[in-house]
Amino acid sequence: MSVPAIAVHRVPRHPNAWWVVLLLAHWLVAWLWWSYGWQVALPLLAVTHLAMVWGTLRPDSRLFGPALTRVATDQRVLWLTIDDGPSDETPAVLDLLDAHGAKATFFLVGERARRYPEHVREILRRGHGIGNHSDSHFTRRFWALGPRTMRDEIEHAQATLTEIAGIRPVWFRAVVGMANPFVAAPLQRLGLARVAWTARGFDGAVSDPRRVLRRVERQLAPGVIVLAHEGARHGRNLETLTLLLQRFDELGYRCVVPVPQMAGGPDIAPVETRLAD
């Protein structure tokens, strides 16, 4: 079966450009302060720092590099992405997807993949995709990691997943979607493109499946990227995913693994194409 959706794969091209912009902005602030006083310069300084915060905390921000939020299609297809695995729930999630004829991309955590290597291989065997979701999943402070720790988090997860799966992931998702300025450089080195989302119901924290469903359904449209989770502490991710898949079927949406394609270029990941067949 061919895949009708194209996901444009954009690796950061200038991962350190933000340094130049920030230095120029601070030079301008200093000049304004010297020339016109703090009343003029201080608002610009505040705007500069607020922009940095916004660019880090907003999941679909492109301030520090590209972020994919939907796939190119006018057909009723979705890109279902499942974060935070592998976990004890992974086999049940795979059975549920099979029951609905749905395909998904699993954004996997390196240390959890080392704990459940057989689940990683089973994800691929059943025709799904995998992506890099950091090595340790620092939920509360991923956004604040420095350049060395951020590099290690992304590179170690990439090495783990490549070794276990036998393929090199081409997608990356930041933990909680928050990508600070130090994410872009390792993504460029590893050829990874960052994936955000279009529709989410906060199922990693919200334990009411119907509440999650209502939120996701309001955001559905052809080509949206749906964010889901497995293994949350509340233990109701499977119930939630069941409702979501049932509703997708009722609305005529199919969940597919899109073909990754370089902007303006050919397909770059034959293995992803094979997995989607």
Side-chain angles (χ1 to χ4, degrees):
M1 180 182 70
S2 62
V3 180
I6 298 295
V8 179
H9 184 276
R10 291 190 175 94
V11 175
R13 295 178 60 189
H14 307 290
N16 298 310
W18 66 276
W19 276 109
V20 177
V21 175
L22 187 63
L23 288 172
L24 289 174
H26 280 77
W27 178 88
L28 180 59
V29 167
W31 179 80
L32 289 172
W33 201 306
W34 178 265
S35 302
Y36 300 100
W38 66 267
Q39 297 92 338
V40 176
L42 197 58
L44 177 59
L45 183 64
V47 168
T48 300
H49 285 265
L50 286 173
M52 296 286 290
V53 173
W54 176 86
T56 296
L57 301 184
R58 186 172 176 83
D60 60 353
S61 166
R62 295 170 173 82
L63 187 62
F64 306 122
L68 183 63
T69 56
R70 65 187 312 117
V71 295
T73 181
D74 56 1
Q75 301 185 42
R76 292 177 78 82
V77 297
L78 308 172
W79 187 3
L80 177 61
T81 61
I82 302 174
D83 285 11
D84 297 357
S87 69
D88 289 330
E89 288 184 346
T90 302
V93 170
L94 292 172
D95 289 343
L96 183 59
L97 292 170
D98 283 351
H100 288 267
K103 299 300 181 185
T105 297
F106 289 74
F107 283 89
L108 304 176
V109 179
E111 65 179 16
R112 298 173 190 175
R114 291 190 288 274
R115 194 183 314 156
Y116 299 102
E118 69 282 1
H119 291 354
V120 177
R121 288 188 283 266
E122 185 65 10
I123 288 169
L124 295 171
R125 192 189 70 79
R126 297 210 199 182
H128 305 285
I130 62 171
N132 183 324
H133 195 40
S134 85
D135 199 61
S136 306
H137 201 270
F138 291 121
T139 304
R140 296 180 181 176
R141 60 188 183 92
F142 184 82
W143 65 274
L145 296 181
R148 179 177 297 179
T149 306
M150 183 66 74
R151 178 199 64 204
D152 290 346
E153 278 293 305
I154 297 172
E155 290 184 351
H156 290 168
Q158 188 77 348
T160 289
L161 295 174
T162 301
E163 179 180 359
I164 293 173
I167 66 169
R168 178 180 59 85
V170 298
W171 305 116
F172 170 79
R173 174 167 286 155
V175 178
V176 201
M178 298 179 182
N180 72 21
F182 304 121
V183 167
L187 295 193
Q188 184 192 51
R189 284 195 297 272
L190 296 171
L192 289 165
R194 183 161 67 94
V195 179
W197 55 77
T198 326
R200 68 168 174 176
F202 298 92
D203 64 315
V206 175
S207 61
D208 182 351
R210 296 197 175 276
R211 185 179 168 193
V212 173
L213 174 62
R214 287 193 297 270
R215 285 177 169 170
V216 171
E217 187 172 354
R218 287 197 295 266
Q219 303 167 80
L220 291 182
V224 304
I225 301 174
V226 179
L227 170 63
H229 294 81
E230 63 171 297
R233 291 183 179 181
H234 56 64
R236 303 194 70 183
N237 285 145
L238 279 173
E239 295 176 62
T240 299
L241 189 57
T242 299
L243 287 182
L244 288 173
L245 290 170
Q246 289 173 350
R247 189 56 177 155
F248 296 161
D249 289 344
E250 292 167 359
L251 295 174
Y253 282 100
R254 291 189 300 124
C255 298
V256 302
V257 175
V259 175
Q261 187 179 70
M262 287 289 287
D267 299 346
I268 61 167
V271 66
E272 289 283 353
T273 305
R274 186 185 72 245
L275 293 174
D277 290 344

